[in-house]
């Protein structure tokens, strides 16, 4: 526990156990620490905490370490805001040097969210401690998996593209709809075109698709693999 420049470090032991405290492996009875530390039973009181006292503290009895704690430097005061939260699948990549964790919830996909989720992340790097928070609605970070191109059928001078939602998308699909976008390339000049309709020119040589939730305008899914069309 740290308070007003002082700290109390607690050892996981009984009050009558003979305890020796160490700082980064050295006994705290050394001259450099003696004027700032007092031992009250198994606890170690630090009367003045400065940058020289940040580090790893451990309590020992009869040559065995009973417990340990890091006393880190707090990077700034108060809770900072996380820059962003992103929806990823368990097998999806983590971009931009971020990290991934699993967040459980009891929200119903059939009900509207009324309460924001709050995520607090704490991290320690060497002797620096950092804490950040982020509040958001789950609907704000939804990102579907990539859809699948089921088939392409001739309809006059066009192709009708049938797109299947990702296998883990909520059902029934008639209720949990998805908006699709098709990226295709023309055979004659290799130009790229985009379409929100499932009808594309028969002169397309290849295509790929992506999806998003139209109700909350979620992030677009990753593109599906390119599909070459046989003319």
């Amino acid at each position: 526990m740290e308070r007003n420049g002082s700290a109390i470090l607690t050892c996981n032991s009984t009050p009558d156990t003979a305890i020796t405290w160490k700082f980064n492996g050295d006994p705290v009875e050394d001259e450099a620490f003696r004027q700032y530390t007092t031992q009250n039973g198994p606890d170690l009181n630090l009367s003045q905490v400065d940058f020289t006292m940040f580090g790893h503290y451990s309590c020992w009895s009869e040559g065995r370490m009973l417990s340990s704690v890091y006393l880190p430097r707090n990077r700034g005061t108060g809770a900072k805001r996380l820059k962003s939260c992103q929806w990823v699948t368990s097998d999806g990549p983590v971009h931009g040097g971020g990290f991934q964790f699993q967040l459980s919830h009891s929200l119903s996909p059939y009900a509207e969210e009324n309460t924001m989720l709050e995520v607090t992340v704490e991290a320690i790097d060497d002797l620096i401690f950092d804490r950040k928070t982020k509040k958001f609605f789950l609907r704000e970070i939804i990102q579907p998996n990539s859809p699948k191109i089921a088939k392409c059928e001739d309809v006059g001078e066009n192709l009708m593209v049938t797109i299947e939602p990702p296998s883990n998308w909520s059902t029934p699909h008639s209720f949990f709809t998805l908006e699709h976008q098709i990226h295709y390339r023309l055979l004659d000049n290799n130009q790229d075109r985009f379409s929100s309709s499932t009808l594309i020119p028969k002169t397309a040589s290849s295509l790929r698709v992506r999806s998003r939730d139209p109700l909350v305008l979620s992030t677009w899914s990753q593109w599906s693999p390119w599909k070459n069309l046989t003319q």
Side-chain angles (χ1 to χ4, degrees), residues 114-144:
N114 295 317
T115 304
M116 300 183 78
L117 298 173
E118 181 173 347
V119 176
T120 300
V121 177
E122 296 180 346
I124 185 169
D125 179 15
D126 195 10
L127 303 180
I128 298 177
F129 172 79
D130 209 1
R131 172 186 291 173
K132 296 183 179 181
T133 62
K134 176 72 175 180
K135 288 185 177 181
F136 57 93
F137 289 109
L138 189 62
R139 61 177 179 264
E140 296 174 345
I141 65 169
I142 288 177
Q143 183 182 30

Side-chain angles (χ1 to χ4, degrees), residues 185-199:
R185 287 175 179 164
L186 297 176
L187 180 63
D188 52 356
N189 56 17
N190 207 34
Q191 286 187 350
D192 288 327
R193 300 287 177 84
F194 295 88
S195 174
S196 57
S197 169
T198 54
L199 282 176

Side-chain angles (χ1 to χ4, degrees), residues 21-28 33 51-58:
W21 279 91
K22 294 183 180 182
F23 171 69
N24 292 338
D26 297 324
V28 296
F33 273 88
F51 72 95
T52 63
M53 304 178 74
F54 298 132
H56 181 221
Y57 290 82
S58 56

Side-chain angles (χ1 to χ4, degrees), residues 191-215:
Q191 286 187 350
D192 288 327
R193 300 287 177 84
F194 295 88
S195 174
S196 57
S197 169
T198 54
L199 282 176
I200 63 172
K202 193 180 292 187
T203 55
S205 62
S206 58
L207 75 155
R208 60 180 182 171
V209 296
R210 64 179 182 176
S211 303
R212 70 175 178 180
D213 188 329
L215 297 180

Side-chain angles (χ1 to χ4, degrees), residues 75-156:
R75 181 180 290 169
T77 58
K80 297 183 179 180
R81 292 292 181 186
L82 283 172
K83 293 178 63 177
S84 65
C85 288
Q86 182 180 3
W87 181 285
V88 296
T89 59
S90 59
D91 56 351
V94 179
H95 302 286
F99 58 91
Q100 178 178 329
F101 59 91
Q102 184 174 344
L103 176 66
S104 61
H105 64 86
S106 58
L107 301 175
S108 169
Y110 300 95
E112 183 177 356
E113 289 181 272
N114 295 317
T115 304
M116 300 183 78
L117 298 173
E118 181 173 347
V119 176
T120 300
V121 177
E122 296 180 346
I124 185 169
D125 179 15
D126 195 10
L127 303 180
I128 298 177
F129 172 79
D130 209 1
R131 172 186 291 173
K132 296 183 179 181
T133 62
K134 176 72 175 180
K135 288 185 177 181
F136 57 93
F137 289 109
L138 189 62
R139 61 177 179 264
E140 296 174 345
I141 65 169
I142 288 177
Q143 183 182 30
N145 283 1
S146 299
K148 179 181 178 181
I149 302 172
K151 59 182 177 179
C152 299
E153 298 177 296
D154 291 346
V155 179

